[in-house]
Amino acid sequence: ILNVEQSPQSLHVQEGDSTNFTCSFPSSNFYALHWYRWETAKSPEALFVMTLNGDEKKKGRISATLNTKEGYSYLYIKGSQPEDSATYLCALMDSNYQLIWGAGTKLIIKP
Amino acid sequence: GAGVSQSPSNKVTEKGKDVELRCDPISGHTALYWYRQSLGQGLEFLIYFQGNSAPDKSGLPSDRFSAERTGGSVSTLTIQRTQQEDSAVYLCASSTGQWVYNEQFFGPGTRLTVL
């Protein structure tokens, strides 16, 4: 059974500070890793889909890196803003193209 | 264009009643997924459809839960004899198909409260 772990579970960050958090997964038989942002009272929205070892994706102040050999991905947020407050989910795609979801990192930006 | 829609947005029901939740995926999306989020928990996979077929029903928590999809479009999730532990937000998502780059587009969810 594939297990996707995210850490930390929650994170309080001062507005303007940069932060990062981790998604860990089994390194064998890797297909793809997805990152989603889930704001309160809204639906999850896709941020990145990463497939290659060493991949780095960027969207505005948010970026992600991927290491498939050691089984982890980092999500970075530069200069945190209140609108970044959300739960960030990573999901590993398995051989059946199903997403195995992590429990998420809840990010709270303090003004 | 239109996104994934779900109805109702909120449903309050009494224990023991049956409920039906509806999902309208994005037009042309062949894959459809049902998840739920119980209070304080993460996303729990329930079932997915590829077209009208459900290759993986392993996430359905009990035989009180069933789902169907017709015409490769609308899907309904039915919960029979609801229990209080069924209270959760039920999310539907759709994607263009079974491919590693396929992102899932989520609907707004149905909040189910079983009294």
Side-chain angles (χ1 to χ4, degrees):
Chain A
I1 296 176
L2 295 177
N3 192 33
V4 177
E5 296 185 354
Q6 292 188 247
S7 63
Q9 188 175 17
S10 65
L11 191 55
H12 288 71
V13 173
Q14 197 69 39
E15 182 178 352
D17 287 352
S18 297
T19 188
N20 65 84
F21 29 92
T22 308
C23 174
S24 302
F25 49 86
S27 56
S28 59
N29 298 319
F30 178 83
Y31 291 88
L33 187 86
H34 292 220
W35 279 101
Y36 285 75
R37 176 167 60 197
W38 193 359
E39 296 179 65
T40 302
K42 294 187 178 179
S43 304
E45 289 183 337
L47 283 173
F48 305 116
V49 178
M50 310 181 79
T51 59
L52 298 175
N53 185 44
D55 241 358
E56 184 168 343
K57 299 278 176 108
K58 188 174 181 182
K59 187 182 287 188
R61 294 179 292 99
I62 303 176
S63 61
T65 60
L66 178 67
N67 184 323
T68 61
K69 295 188 186 305
E70 295 182 37
Y72 63 84
S73 175
Y74 292 140
L75 191 81
Y76 300 89
I77 301 178
K78 185 178 177 182
S80 303
Q81 299 298 308
E83 60 265 28
D84 297 329
S85 294
T87 295
Y88 291 83
L89 298 166
C90 71
L92 180 72
M93 182 164 280
D94 70 10
S95 58
N96 294 316
Y97 299 105
Q98 295 311 298
L99 290 180
I100 312 299
W101 296 84
T105 291
K106 185 173 183 177
L107 177 65
I108 298 166
I109 307 300
K110 299 178 290 185
Chain B
V4 178
S5 62
Q6 292 185 245
S7 60
S9 56
N10 277 287
K11 177 73 177 178
V12 180
T13 190
E14 293 179 350
K15 178 181 172 181
K17 300 277 190 182
D18 297 352
V19 296
E20 196 171 274
L21 313 179
R22 177 187 168 108
C23 172
D24 277 275
I26 292 172
S27 178
H29 280 193
T30 59
L32 185 147
Y33 306 81
W34 282 99
Y35 298 92
R36 73 176 176 182
Q37 185 200 24
S38 303
L39 190 63
Q41 303 298 309
L43 271 179
E44 178 187 1
F45 168 79
L46 298 178
I47 188 171
Y48 96 91
F49 290 89
Q50 182 60 35
N52 293 332
S53 302
D56 187 356
K57 302 180 182 178
S58 62
L60 293 176
S62 77
D63 58 9
R64 296 185 295 104
F65 286 71
S66 63
E68 65 174 15
R69 189 179 185 195
T70 55
S73 182
V74 172
S75 176
T76 53
L77 178 70
T78 301
I79 309 173
Q80 295 178 310
R81 305 181 303 283
T82 52
Q83 303 294 311
Q84 288 181 330
E85 62 263 28
D86 300 333
S87 295
V89 175
Y90 289 81
L91 288 164
C92 172
S94 70
S95 71
T96 55
Q98 297 292 283
W99 187 44
V100 293
Y101 283 98
N102 275 341
E103 62 179 269
Q104 294 182 16
F105 294 84
F106 284 80
T110 293
R111 181 175 295 278
L112 175 66
T113 303
V114 182
L115 302 176

